[in-house]
Amino acid sequence: MRIAFIKCHGSGNDFPLIDARDLTLSEPQWATLARLLADRAGPVGGDGLLALVPGDDIHAFGMRMWNSDGSEAETCLNGLRCTARLGFDVLGIDAAQVKLKTSSASAARESAIAPGVATIRTLVGPNATRAVDVGLVGAPEQVLDAAIEGLPNPRRFTAVAMPNPHLVTFVEAVDEAELVALGSWCERRPALLPARANVSFVEQRGPTSLFVRTFERGVGLTDSCGSAMAASVLSAALTGRVPFGTPITVFNRGGMVRGQAEQDRRVILSGNATFEATRAVDVDFATGTLGAVETLQDRDAERAAWDAMLAGLRETA
C-alpha cells in the first residue's frame, strides 16, 4: 500500500502525519504503521504517528495519534497543532473544534511566533486533577506538590490528566538519569500506574519561564512533548508558582511554546506547526516492512525559518 505523509514537527516533536480521512485500516494495521514509520532506526522516524481523520456534527475533523511503540495516546498537543494546520489547509478554514480520542480541543491559526514559522493556538480542557483520572491506584484523591507513596522517587509531584496522564515535579536542575530511571519504572506498568504515565522534570527559570524535560509514555526521553508542557503550565499554576491567567514561555530541547493556564484549568498553548516535507512510502503489512521513501515536496523555507528561530533562542539563552 502506498502511503503519503507530511513530515512535520511541533517544537521539535516530530511525526509523520497522514491525511487519513479516506483511508481504511484495521487497528492492528495502524499500530504496525506507527511502529514502522516512527522507528528511529527506519527510513522515516518520529516520536509517533499522526492521522487527520473525519469529524462529526461538532468537530470539523479529528486527530488520532500513536506512540512509536504502536500504543494509541489520548492526545498529543504538539501533534495537534500540526494536524490542525493540515485540517485548516484542506478545508480552507482558520479555526475548528477538533475531536481527540477521549476529548475535544479548540484550535486556530495565530500570528507567527517568529518570521516564517506557521503558528497554531490550542485550548484544551478542563483538565483533571483527580488521581483516578491520572491512573494512580491507591493514591489520595489529588496529588498536588506531594510525595507519592509507592513511587520509587521521593520528589514532590503534581498529577494531572491532559487527558493523558502526567506526573510533574519542579527541580533546581534536571537530572536526566534520574528522569529516565523513573520513566522506565512507569513503563513497566507497576500496580501504582498500570496504564503508565508521562513524567516531567521542570526547571522554573524566571517568574514566567519554564524548562521542561519529559520521559514520554510509549516513547522514552523526548526533546519535546506538548501535553507535558501543558501539564507543566497547569502544575505551575496549581502549585502557586505562576498565577492563573499569566502568559508563560515554555522551553524544551526542541524549542519553545507560549502557554497559559486558565482559572477553569483549561490550558492555552501556542507554538509552531512546521511542515518539513511531503513524502510517500510503500508499506507491506504482511511482512511489516517499508519500501524506499520518495520525497514529493521539500519545504526548505519552513525548515530555515524554524532553524533561524532556534538560533535566536540560543543567542538569548
Side-chain angles (χ1 to χ4, degrees):
M1 176 182 287
R2 189 75 163 166
I3 299 285
F5 63 92
I6 296 171
K7 191 63 189 294
C8 61
H9 77 83
S11 196
N13 205 186
D14 68 318
F15 312 91
L17 164 61
I18 297 171
D19 183 351
R21 291 172 299 157
D22 297 318
L23 183 61
T24 301
L25 294 177
S26 68
E27 293 305 313
Q29 284 178 318
W30 276 117
T32 296
L33 190 60
R35 287 190 292 267
L36 291 173
L37 293 183
D39 180 3
R40 285 293 180 197
V44 178
D47 287 325
L49 171 66
L50 302 173
L52 174 71
V53 297
D56 53 30
D57 292 341
I58 299 172
H59 305 89
F61 51 85
M63 179 189 85
R64 295 184 69 183
M65 184 271 181
W66 292 265
N67 297 311
S68 54
D69 67 355
S71 61
E72 187 172 2
E74 293 90 343
T75 190
C76 170
L77 299 188
N78 285 330
L80 173 59
R81 296 198 305 276
C82 296
T83 307
R85 178 185 170 183
L86 178 59
F88 297 159
D89 288 352
V90 298
L91 296 177
I93 58 178
D94 294 319
Q97 197 71 16
V98 184
K99 181 176 176 59
L100 305 177
K101 181 183 179 184
T102 61
S103 62
S104 181
S106 299
R109 298 189 195 270
E110 186 160 275
S111 57
I113 57 174
V117 176
T119 302
I120 302 293
R121 181 183 71 252
T122 59
L123 175 64
V124 297
N127 301 291
T129 57
R130 295 191 311 159
V132 65
D133 293 321
V134 184
L136 285 164
V137 177
E141 183 177 354
Q142 288 187 325
V143 177
L144 298 178
D145 204 20
I148 301 174
E149 185 177 352
L151 198 71
N153 187 297
R155 292 188 183 275
R156 303 172 69 88
F157 287 86
T158 296
V160 295
M162 303 300 299
N164 56 340
H166 288 267
L167 301 180
V168 178
T169 185
F170 290 85
V171 300
E172 289 296 320
V174 172
D175 182 327
E176 288 192 359
E178 180 188 358
L179 174 58
V180 169
L182 180 56
S184 299
W185 182 85
C186 292
E187 283 293 280
R188 294 195 287 271
R189 300 182 183 271
L192 178 67
L193 278 164
R196 305 176 294 174
N198 303 281
V199 182
S200 293
F201 284 11
V202 183
E203 299 173 15
Q204 185 167 3
R205 295 184 169 178
T208 58
S209 178
L210 304 177
F211 173 79
V212 179
R213 196 79 169 106
T214 300
F215 189 101
E216 189 172 353
R217 180 181 61 164
V219 177
L221 192 64
T222 180
D223 283 349
S224 179
C225 173
S227 60
M229 290 188 287
S232 299
V233 169
L234 180 57
S235 296
L238 290 170
T239 59
R241 289 175 167 86
V242 179
F244 283 99
T246 301
I248 300 175
T249 303
V250 187
F251 297 94
N252 53 52
R253 288 286 183 87
M256 58 82 70
V257 298
R258 297 190 295 254
Q260 182 171 309
E262 302 294 90
Q263 194 69 48
D264 63 2
R265 298 186 179 182
R266 293 186 298 170
V267 177
I268 300 168
L269 279 190
S270 296
N272 75 299
T274 298
F275 289 177
E276 296 184 321
T278 303
R279 297 179 176 134
V281 65
D282 289 316
V283 181
D284 188 327
F285 287 103
T287 61
T289 58
L290 296 178
V293 176
E294 178 187 2
T295 297
L296 305 178
Q297 179 188 8
D298 263 322
R299 309 232 186 182
D300 296 333
E302 290 202 37
R303 286 200 300 270
W306 177 254
D307 290 343
M309 186 189 116
L310 286 185
L313 290 176
R314 294 188 187 104
E315 289 175 2
T316 59

